[in-house]
Amino acid sequence: MKVNISSKGFTADDRQVALIEKKFGKLGKFFSEDTVASVTLESRKNRQTMEAMVPVKGMLFRAEYTDSDMNICVDKVVDKLSTQITRYKKKIQKNHHQNKEIMFEEVPETDEEFDLTPIKIKSFEITPMDADEAVLQMELIGHNFYVFMNSETDRVSVVYKRNDGEYGLIAPIY
């Protein structure tokens, strides 16, 4: 597994880069050698943020953590990614007993069982609107995301509120 590290607001020193590569090396057991993890480090005042994304055959594993200590961020992000990967692998094995999926290397067994069955299913009519109107609707209903038909692209999109208070737009390509 390869790790691409970039930083914003500061320059990562060799010690930090070595620590990140060592920790992500432990995740290498889940992936092939040509898998590339993108890691972004950001420093703002007393807050250190680490974000990691690992794309694998149509799936995207992503984790982010903010703390005053970058070493804690590294540990938490690696833990989150490991949990996501294990959950996904268990789901694949449960749903496809005959197909053991070759996108991952062997995953260690854990006693922890995950139930990924939806608790609640909600149906609603999607109305055409622009992203600004969708943000307004999201705020009005008090949710942190809103699904809508983008009137500019005629495609289903999602607006969401980010941890930094800004808004994001997910526009799938299909």
Side-chain angles (χ1 to χ4, degrees), residues 23-117:
K23 296 285 184 171
F24 273 78
K26 294 177 183 178
L27 291 177
K29 64 186 172 195
F30 296 113
F31 303 107
S32 63
E33 289 183 21
D34 60 338
T35 302
V36 179
S38 298
V39 176
T40 304
L41 310 172
E42 187 172 355
S43 179
R44 285 192 216 161
K45 299 182 182 176
N46 293 337
R47 299 180 64 200
Q48 310 294 317
T49 301
M50 179 179 178
E51 176 187 27
M53 292 186 288
V54 184
V56 179
K57 293 190 180 182
M59 285 293 302
L60 178 67
F61 297 100
R62 181 188 176 280
E64 182 176 338
Y65 196 78
T66 301
D67 194 271
S68 59
D69 184 5
M70 187 58 79
N71 294 338
I72 292 173
C73 292
V74 173
D75 290 337
K76 294 290 186 180
V77 165
V78 170
D79 288 346
K80 284 181 179 183
L81 287 172
S82 180
T83 300
Q84 288 175 12
I85 294 161
T86 304
R87 289 171 99 181
Y88 181 70
K89 178 70 174 180
K90 284 182 181 267
K91 178 182 174 185
I92 295 247
Q93 288 174 342
K94 181 179 176 184
N95 292 338
H96 307 287
H97 293 289
Q98 71 280 5
N99 180 7
K100 290 297 181 185
E101 193 69 36
I102 9 178
M103 68 189 261
F104 294 108
E105 301 300 323
E106 193 59 37
V107 176
E109 292 296 320
T110 63
D111 295 335
E112 199 171 346
E113 195 61 39
F114 299 103
D115 183 16
L116 301 175
T117 307

Side-chain angles (χ1 to χ4, degrees), residues 7 15 51 77 79 92 123 139-140 153 160 163:
S7 56
R15 187 181 55 82
E51 176 187 27
V77 165
D79 288 346
I92 295 247
S123 298
E139 292 296 330
L140 287 173
T153 63
Y160 63 97
N163 291 337

